[in-house]
Amino acid sequence: GQQLNQSPQSMFIQEGEDVSMNCTSSSIFNTWLWYKQDPGEGPVLLIALYKAGELTSNGRLTAQFGITRKDSFLNISASIPSDVGIYFCAGFYSGGGADGLTFGKGTHLIIQP
Amino acid sequence: DGGITQSPKYLFRKEGQNVTLSCEQNLNHDAMYWYRQDPGQGLRLIYYSQIVNDFQKGDIAEGYSVSREKKESFPLTVTSAQKNPTAFYLCASSIRRQAFYGYTFGSGTRLTVV
């Protein structure tokens, strides 16, 4: 089946730093989604991308749909303590009978005081 | 407000016992999913259902069972056959055949075997 490689697995940063993470696949997707999971809670949708090359922002978050349709990137600018959590990418491909999302394993963001 | 509710938030089970996790949604979504989350392993799909009275095994269905008698409800039973049930369990829902809009997740149930 399709797999997503999400990196890095963990990030230890200082408050105020910018953050970059990415998701890659050997298969193409026609939708990319980014979720954030706070500790002990369920993931919440941050950004959805529907077109190759698309760049979308949500406050300090910016995500891009890779031009090859095989990757996506999420950037967080000027990190703050509430950015701590696990960030998941998810891809969707409508062909081949598949009808669900494929998730990456997550990037665990830790902000050091 | 529409949403998806999981209960209980914390659950303790003795070895050898079955336990059922509740998941209810009022979003009028046809599709519902159960995931298991362990540290460093991401989200692993246990079961999913696209319509009432129909469900499919995911990647790690062994030791679990589900039912889908109502559109709003998709309970998960962790049976005694599940050898390592301690984990965080997440339920999600989506519009059928429109998963590209994303899933809505519940707030999870943390199951601990004692």
Side-chain angles (χ1 to χ4, degrees):
Chain A
Q2 296 170 319
Q3 291 189 348
L4 295 181
N5 299 309
Q6 189 170 349
S7 65
Q9 185 175 0
S10 300
M11 298 186 73
F12 296 81
I13 64 166
Q14 303 283 341
E15 183 178 351
E17 287 185 16
D18 295 342
V19 171
S20 292
M21 61 190 78
N22 68 83
C23 227
T24 61
S25 173
S26 58
S27 306
I28 61 172
F29 289 93
N30 43 31
T31 298
W32 285 96
L33 306 167
W34 284 92
Y35 283 84
K36 183 199 177 194
Q37 182 180 28
D38 288 329
E41 298 295 328
V44 174
L45 183 64
L46 297 173
I47 292 178
L49 302 158
Y50 296 106
K51 187 176 178 181
E54 180 182 356
L55 188 70
T56 297
S57 293
N58 178 3
R60 293 178 295 106
L61 276 63
T62 301
Q64 184 162 23
F65 192 142
I67 199 71
T68 66
R69 296 170 62 192
K70 292 183 178 180
D71 55 13
S72 180
F73 305 87
L74 176 69
N75 295 318
I76 304 173
S77 63
S79 59
I80 60 177
S82 62
D83 291 335
V84 164
I86 303 175
Y87 292 79
F88 290 100
C89 62
F92 177 80
Y93 179 68
S94 58
D99 195 30
L101 299 178
T102 300
F103 285 91
K105 290 192 174 183
T107 293
H108 194 177
L109 180 61
I110 299 160
I111 298 180
Q112 297 171 320
Chain B
D1 284 340
I4 183 165
T5 302
Q6 290 186 243
S7 61
K9 182 67 176 177
Y10 300 95
L11 190 56
F12 297 89
R13 189 195 92 172
K14 292 183 179 179
E15 284 194 27
Q17 286 183 339
N18 293 355
V19 64
T20 298
L21 283 58
S22 171
C23 179
E24 303 273 337
Q25 55 96 3
N26 61 2
L27 298 164
N28 199 33
H29 285 172
D30 288 297
M32 298 187 74
Y33 313 83
W34 274 105
Y35 286 90
R36 171 178 173 144
Q37 187 176 24
D38 296 284
Q41 298 215 35
L43 304 174
R44 294 188 289 168
L45 183 63
I46 305 172
Y47 269 98
Y48 64 99
S49 169
Q50 298 286 354
I51 55 173
V52 173
N53 293 322
D54 186 56
F55 48 83
Q56 306 295 328
K57 292 182 179 180
D59 301 318
I60 58 165
E62 184 175 352
Y64 299 97
S65 66
V66 294
S67 62
R68 187 81 188 279
E69 298 176 0
K70 298 188 300 180
K71 185 176 183 177
E72 301 80 15
S73 178
F74 191 39
L76 173 73
T77 297
V78 184
T79 75
S80 57
Q82 170 50 237
K83 297 306 178 189
N84 185 21
T86 294
F88 189 56
Y89 291 87
L90 286 162
C91 180
S93 68
S94 72
I95 301 170
R96 187 185 178 200
R97 302 213 176 279
Q98 295 186 24
F100 48 80
Y101 287 127
Y103 295 171
T104 300
F105 283 88
S107 58
T109 293
R110 184 165 297 280
L111 173 63
T112 303
V113 174
V114 297

